[in-house]
């Protein structure tokens, strides 16, 4: 069961000695072995559900049903709550995704990923003050939150802290000499034509 979880998460943590498809195949095989020994293992079932969302044909409906079945077996499993919440957020079911992240934090208030994605959901709904309070509460004095450009930068911009947003992008691994201000401007003015900024990014990435 634990091996299945390791295989399923490795490609998302920049371990690239195998392809995503290969890692998910190994994860599913390990989860199937665990389930053959104990069909009621909620975590193994949840891993298979998560893997469905990560590879074609991206069967979101079946993945959600399998994840809910896993949560029926282990309703206080914070990892499964986080995964289900994230899947719902990615599918555009923001309120439902927020609910699952809140359930996760009620069980474990220090679960960083649940707080991160809850902030993301709140920002998507325009609930900036609530998002800011949560963001500050979970960042204050903490050293275990990795930088997450997709959450940190929009959050900081919505809070009016442009300089901090620029710094987060600049120090993010892999950004190098990328045109950071073009990225910031695109977030600040999403309806404008950013084709020139995109070309600048493509030129930077090709170096």
């Amino acid at each position: 069961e634990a091996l299945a979880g390791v295989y399923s998460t490795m490609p998302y943590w920049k371990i690239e000695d195998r392809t995503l498809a290969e890692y998910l195949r190994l994860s599913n095989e390990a989860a199937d072995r665990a389930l053959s020994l104990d069909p009621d293992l909620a975590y193994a079932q949840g891993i298979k559900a998560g893997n469905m969302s990560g590879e074609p044909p991206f069967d979101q409906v079946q993945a959600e049903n399998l994840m809910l079945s896993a949560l029926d077996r282990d309703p206080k499993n914070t990892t499964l709550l986080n995964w289900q919440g994230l899947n719902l957020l990615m599918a555009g079911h923001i309120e439902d995704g927020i609910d699952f992240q809140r359930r996760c934090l009620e069980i474990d208030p220090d679960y960083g990923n649940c707080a991160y994605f809850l902030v993301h959901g709140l920002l998507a709904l325009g609930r900036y003050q609530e998002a800011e309070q949560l963001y500050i509460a979970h960042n204050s004095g903490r050293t275990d939150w990795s930088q997450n450009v997709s959450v940190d930068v929009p959050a900081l911009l919505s809070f009016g802290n442009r300089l901090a947003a620029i710094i987060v992008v600049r120090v993010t691994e892999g950004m190098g000499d990328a045109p950071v201000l073009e990225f910031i401007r695109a977030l600040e003015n999403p309806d404008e034509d950013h084709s020139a900024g995109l070309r600048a990014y493509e030129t930077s990435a090709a170096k």
Side-chain angles (χ1 to χ4, degrees), residues 37-125:
L37 298 172
D38 184 352
D40 291 326
L41 289 174
Y43 184 51
Q45 194 176 74
I47 290 167
K48 286 181 66 67
N51 290 344
M52 287 180 186
S53 299
E55 61 182 343
F58 305 107
D59 192 339
Q60 195 71 28
V61 173
Q62 186 177 352
E64 182 175 346
N65 289 337
L66 188 58
M67 188 71 77
L68 290 174
S69 176
L71 281 166
D72 283 341
R73 289 180 167 83
D74 190 0
K76 292 187 177 181
N77 189 309
T78 50
T79 298
L80 299 183
L81 289 168
N82 175 43
W83 287 349
Q84 177 68 352
L86 177 56
N87 285 338
L88 288 166
L89 289 172
M90 292 174 63
H93 302 292
I94 308 300
E95 291 283 6
D96 291 335
I98 283 175
D99 287 343
F100 275 94
Q101 301 298 358
R102 287 198 192 281
R103 285 170 57 184
C104 171
L105 290 172
E106 287 171 1
I107 297 167
D108 182 359
D110 290 324
Y111 200 129
N113 278 347
C114 288
Y116 251 134
F117 293 119
L118 176 53
V119 168
H120 205 134
L122 293 171
L123 289 172
L125 295 179

Side-chain angles (χ1 to χ4, degrees), residues 9-42:
T9 56
M10 286 179 73
Y12 301 107
W13 290 96
K14 299 184 179 180
I15 299 173
E16 300 173 341
D17 58 321
R18 291 183 173 93
T19 65
L20 173 62
E22 178 69 5
Y23 268 124
L24 294 185
R25 181 184 66 79
L26 292 169
S27 175
N28 285 328
E29 288 177 355
D32 286 337
R33 287 198 299 273
L35 289 166
S36 70
L37 298 172
D38 184 352
D40 291 326
L41 289 174

Side-chain angles (χ1 to χ4, degrees), residues 165-182:
I166 293 171
I167 292 171
V168 167
V169 181
R170 175 57 67 197
V171 301
T172 296
E173 181 182 356
M175 292 302 290
D177 296 325
V180 170
L181 290 180
E182 294 293 348

Side-chain angles (χ1 to χ4, degrees), residues 92-163:
H93 302 292
I94 308 300
E95 291 283 6
D96 291 335
I98 283 175
D99 287 343
F100 275 94
Q101 301 298 358
R102 287 198 192 281
R103 285 170 57 184
C104 171
L105 290 172
E106 287 171 1
I107 297 167
D108 182 359
D110 290 324
Y111 200 129
N113 278 347
C114 288
Y116 251 134
F117 293 119
L118 176 53
V119 168
H120 205 134
L122 293 171
L123 289 172
L125 295 179
R127 290 156 63 175
Y128 300 124
Q129 184 174 2
E130 189 178 354
E132 181 178 14
Q133 291 171 350
L134 179 66
Y135 183 88
I136 291 172
H138 276 267
N139 270 296
S140 179
R142 299 178 69 98
T143 59
D144 60 329
W145 272 37
S146 61
Q147 291 159 354
N148 187 325
V149 173
S150 66
V151 176
D152 284 338
V153 175
L156 290 167
L157 288 174
S158 69
F159 308 154
N161 199 335
R162 192 174 195 263
L163 178 58

